[in-house]
Amino acid sequence: MSDEAVLKAINLVKIYSGGAVPVPAVRGVDLQVDAGEFVAVMGPSGSGKSTLVHMLGGLDSRTSGEIWLDGKRADTLSESAWALLRRKKIGFVFQFFNLVANMTVADNVELPALLAGASPREARERREDLLGALNLGDRADASPAQLSGGEQQRVALARALANQPSVLLADEPTGNLDSRNTRDVLRLLGRVHKDGQTIVMVTHDARVAALADRVVSLLDGEIVDDGRIARPRRRTVGEVIDLR
Amino acid sequence: MRLHLLALLAKEPAHGYELKQDLEQTFGSAYPSPNIGQIYVTLGRLEKDGLVRAVDVEQSNRPNKKVYYLTAKGRDVLHLWVDEPTEGPRVRDEFFMKLVLAPMTGIADRMVLINRQRRHYLSLMKDLNELLDRTSPDDKIAILLIEGAMLHLQADLDWLERCQEDLA
Ligand SMILES: Nc1ncnc2c1ncn2[C@@H]1O[C@H](COP(=O)(O)OP(=O)(O)OP(=O)(O)O)[C@@H](O)[C@H]1O
Ligand SMILES: [Mg+2]
């Protein structure tokens, strides 16, 4: 494996076997993400995107296959060792935010940095920077329940970035945003990516996917395409849109 | 461009170069900078069709310039254009024809075509993201055009996904 790989999955499989019939949600995925890469994961509803990133983040157990994180085999770790590693190395944005309800927005964002060993001052500065970038500086003392869906989603993104993780795993982080808020999120993602943040992001939003270096397409639990997004020559809008 | 020029002339008479500037100012970076030669050719045709009339205006120590006026007939044509419903975006594009027909030729696989097209759309979107970044927030017309193009691309990508589910 390349020394550069931050995250690697080998023949990863997930079969949900709780119900009447087993559901094969992820069927033999091989994926390697190098340091600093931004990978967009796309695919129809039910194609296994959430299941895949949950497994990569250690939030869901795999049925078979291997997961490597920063050169270390992760899937064979005990649950507590996985949790420890996750806290240090992974930032996760859930499809449905999962903020801690009885903590303020500020504490939600600072917590992962504190858990990862940052000083209170570092954690606060990072939080102020992230919430500011997402236009939420004035909501720091609110509780999650007092926020709109779009605001909660942006807080979840700030929280995931708080400890400067080796890899940011995000599941539809702009699903509930209007176009102005999406623009703030796009800017922040562009900025952290430029600073070297590795990102794996599930998204239906083409504007977000277009920030990525690479797109992975899932269909029925399998990767059907994995390749770079070309950077064509700069154009004027008139060359892209046909104004008749 | 015929009707765009008629619309500008409905505001006030102008010569060719003023029309070019007017288009640039109205649309900002969104308009493919109109070629002055093309504007004069179009004005010539409009004049021939009786939609505009040109008047020579004398200028001190410079050659005369032609100022164009909208005629009554031109105004009627303009009204017709504004009042009639505008054709919507195309519902059948060239890619779809390729997608349906290609497997019959044995030249290409649908899965390959769809994947390639998705990457192409995303790279167009990359362009638009960049364009939006370097467009001033005051340039409202250009921003709306870019956002419109983004929404169209999003719809194209969603449709591609549907095609992949049902055809590939
Ligand atoms: N806990 C579960 N138990 C049983 N089946 C599940 C479970 N979670 C997901 N699935 C099934 O696994 C498949 C993949 O689901 P997943 O949530 O990964 O899809 P997705 O690509 O994220 O879809 P969406 O775009 O709608 O979020 C689906 O068929 C789904 O019904
Ligand atoms: Mg999902």
Side-chain angles (χ1 to χ4, degrees), chain A residues 46 49-51 95 171-172 202:
Chain A
K49 306 178 300 292
S50 292
T51 304
Q95 195 164 1
D171 195 356
E172 298 280 5
V202 174

Side-chain angles (χ1 to χ4, degrees), chain A residues 204 206 217 225 231 235 237, chain B residues 30 118-119 126-127 130 154:
Chain A
H204 274 104
S217 300
D225 189 38
R231 278 192 158 275
R235 300 173 210 235
V237 69
Chain B
R118 180 187 301 105
R119 291 193 212 175
K126 239 185 212 309
D127 277 357
E130 260 170 18
Q154 179 73 59

Side-chain angles (χ1 to χ4, degrees), chain A residues 43-44 183 204-207 210 212 217 224-231 234-235 237-238 241 243-244, chain B residues 4 29-31 115 118-119 122-127 129-132 134 145-146 149-150 154 157 161 165:
Chain A
R183 215 172 156 176
H204 274 104
D205 188 323
R207 284 168 305 172
S217 300
V224 293
D225 189 38
D226 181 348
R228 306 198 73 73
I229 303 171
R231 278 192 158 275
R234 280 178 143 218
R235 300 173 210 235
V237 69
I241 312 162
L243 270 178
R244 270 178 293 190
Chain B
H4 307 165
S29 58
Y31 203 84
N115 289 337
R118 180 187 301 105
R119 291 193 212 175
L122 288 174
S123 81
L124 289 179
M125 191 62 103
K126 239 185 212 309
D127 277 357
N129 267 341
E130 260 170 18
L131 201 57
L132 197 57
R134 60 190 151 87
L145 267 165
I146 296 166
M150 286 175 150
Q154 179 73 59
L157 273 158
E161 199 169 272
E165 281 180 288

Side-chain angles (χ1 to χ4, degrees), chain A residues 9-70:
Chain A
I10 302 171
N11 199 15
L12 200 57
V13 171
K14 176 70 181 185
I15 300 171
Y16 287 107
S17 46
V21 281
V23 180
V26 172
R27 305 190 299 169
V29 161
D30 291 309
L31 182 68
Q32 174 169 325
V33 181
D34 289 342
E37 245 189 324
F38 186 160
V39 177
V41 179
M42 304 188 86
S45 184
S47 58
K49 306 178 300 292
S50 292
T51 304
L52 175 62
V53 291
H54 281 169
M55 279 194 290
L56 293 176
L59 299 162
D60 209 345
S61 67
R62 82 214 189 293
T63 303
S64 64
E66 299 175 17
I67 297 168
W68 295 72
L69 190 56
D70 273 344

